[in-house]
Amino acid sequence: VPVGILMWRPPPKQWKGEGTTAHLYEILLGRCYTYTQIVRPELGHKDCQKIGKAFTKAFLMKDPCSSTEQDYQLLMELTDEAVPCDKTLFWSKSSELAHDYTRVRRDMFTLEDTLLGYMADGLKWCGDPGSSEMNYHSCPDWREDCSNNPFSVFWNTVSKRFAEDACGVVHVVLNGSISNTFDERSTFGRVEVFNLHPEKVNRLEAWVMHDIGSVHSDSCSSSSVNDLKQILKRRNITFSCQNNYGPIRLLQCVKNPGDSSC
Ligand code: N1C
C-alpha cells in the first residue's frame, strides 16, 4: 500500500488573518479550570473536559467561512451561567476600561467575566474541512476573507445570549473619544441592543467616558448616543446616560495621576 499517498493532505488554505493561537486547547482547558475552581468555585460542577471538547468540535473539520450559531449550540448549553439582575456591563470600543472597572467591582459582569467569555478572550481559532487539525498558519480575516469565520460567529453567538439573559438595570461603557461613540455596526449596536428583553430589562444606562488627554469628545448629547436612545425607545426600554461616570473616571486617574482633571 502506498502509505505516502494515503497520508497526503492538501496544505492548509492561506487566509489573511493570523492563525489559531498556539496551544489553544491547553489554554481553553486551563482557563476553564481557573474560572470554575478559583474565580467562581460555585461553578465547580462544570465539566471542563467536556467543555473543551465541545469548543474544538464546534470548528474542527469544518469550512472556516461557513461557521454557524448551531456549531456552538452544545458549547453554549454546557456553559450556561446566571448573571444576577442589575449586574450586566456591556462595552463598545472601551474594553480595557470596562474590564478595569469589573476587576474592582467584583459583583459586576462583562461577558469576559463569565465562563465562556473568560475562556475565549483574546484567542483565535479555525480548522479546515480536509483535516482534523487546527490551522495554526492562518485563519480568515473578517474584512478580507469572510465574516462567517469561527471567532466572529462565536462572539456574535455568545454576545446574543449574554444580552438575552440580562435583567434589571443594565449598563454600557461607551468611548466618548471617538466619533461613533455608539456604533450601529459594533457587536453592542448590532447584536446586544436588539437582544435585550424589554419585559425584564427596565433601563439601560450608558456611561460615556473620555480618554484623559484626548481632544475629541462626544457626550451624552451627541447624535450617535441619541440614535441609541431612539432605538431603545422603540424597543420600550428606558435610556439614561452619564458623562464621565465618577468611579470609572477615578480608575482613569489612577493611570494618569498628573493630569489636571484628576
Ligand atoms: O463590537 P463591540 O466592541 O461593541 O463588542 C463589545 C460587546 C461587549 O458588550 C461584549 O459583551 O460585545 C461583546 N463582545 C465581547 O465580549 C468580546 N470580547 C472580545 C464582543 N466582542 C468581543 N471581543 C473581540 O473584540 C471580538 O473579536 C470583537 O470583534 C471585538 C469587538 O470589540 P469592539 O468593537 O470594541
Side-chain angles (χ1 to χ4, degrees):
V1 180
V3 175
I5 290 174
L6 282 177
M7 281 168 51
W8 186 83
R9 294 254 195 298
K13 240 185 125 97
Q14 290 298 297
W15 302 102
K16 298 273 162 55
E18 59 185 299
T20 301
T21 307
H23 309 290
L24 177 85
Y25 189 69
E26 290 75 14
I27 295 172
L28 289 173
L29 264 192
R31 286 183 176 180
C32 181
Y33 283 115
T34 301
Y35 191 86
T36 58
Q37 298 298 315
I38 295 163
V39 182
R40 297 193 69 196
E42 63 273 27
L43 293 181
H45 61 278
K46 295 277 187 202
D47 185 339
C48 286
Q49 297 290 340
K50 228 176 175 176
I51 292 170
K53 292 210 176 74
F55 201 117
T56 53
K57 215 175 164 227
F59 68 93
L60 287 182
M61 303 287 300
K62 292 179 184 178
D63 170 10
C65 278
S66 314
S67 250
T68 64
E69 257 193 69
Q70 191 52 43
D71 292 337
Y72 289 103
Q73 229 38 65
L74 175 60
L75 178 64
M76 301 281 285
E77 283 162 28
L78 294 173
T79 54
D80 72 302
E81 168 184 5
V83 171
C85 289
D86 305 324
K87 303 299 182 189
T88 296
L89 184 64
F90 301 107
W91 52 268
S92 191
K93 315 281 185 268
S94 54
S95 164
E96 187 183 330
L97 207 47
H99 295 119
D100 282 352
Y101 181 64
T102 58
R103 185 171 287 229
V104 183
R105 275 294 304 266
R106 294 317 286 239
D107 59 324
M108 293 195 75
F109 292 81
T110 65
L111 180 51
E112 292 69 30
D113 297 304
T114 68
L115 173 57
L116 201 44
Y118 183 90
M119 288 175 63
D121 195 19
L123 307 179
K124 280 275 151 33
W125 59 89
C126 68
D128 185 278
S131 150
S132 55
E133 315 270 291
M134 306 192 192
N135 186 344
Y136 292 106
H137 302 281
S138 65
C139 287
D141 176 75
W142 187 85
R143 269 175 196 285
E144 295 192 66
D145 297 308
C146 55
S147 55
N148 287 336
N149 62 66
F151 36 90
S152 298
V153 171
F154 170 87
W155 286 114
N156 286 339
T157 306
V158 294
S159 301
K160 180 178 168 196
R161 171 173 74 179
F162 187 57
E164 284 170 345
D165 289 348
C167 51
V169 179
V170 302
H171 293 92
V172 62
V173 181
L174 297 177
N175 186 340
S177 293
I178 55 173
S179 47
N180 269 347
T181 293
F182 171 67
D183 180 356
E184 305 194 43
R185 293 158 310 171
S186 67
T187 309
F188 174 68
R190 213 171 18 88
V191 179
E192 292 175 327
V193 166
F194 291 98
N195 282 288
L196 296 170
H197 286 209
E199 318 83 72
K200 56 178 183 173
V201 174
N202 316 101
R203 178 161 63 91
L204 182 140
E205 177 159 300
W207 294 329
V208 177
M209 303 304 302
H210 296 143
D211 292 343
I212 283 177
S214 127
V215 265
H216 182 92
S217 64
D218 239 13
S219 68
C220 286
S221 50
S222 75
S223 76
S224 81
V225 176
N226 193 52
D227 293 342
L228 170 61
K229 184 180 177 164
Q230 297 310 318
I231 292 171
L232 290 167
K233 191 174 177 185
R234 269 180 262 132
R235 302 206 61 229
N236 281 317
I237 297 171
T238 308
F239 176 74
S240 60
C241 186
Q242 287 197 56
N243 290 312
N244 290 325
Y245 175 63
I248 297 187
R249 189 69 187 177
L250 288 173
L251 290 176
Q252 292 175 305
C253 283
V254 170
K255 291 188 183 174
N256 299 270
D259 192 85
S260 58
S261 71
C262 295

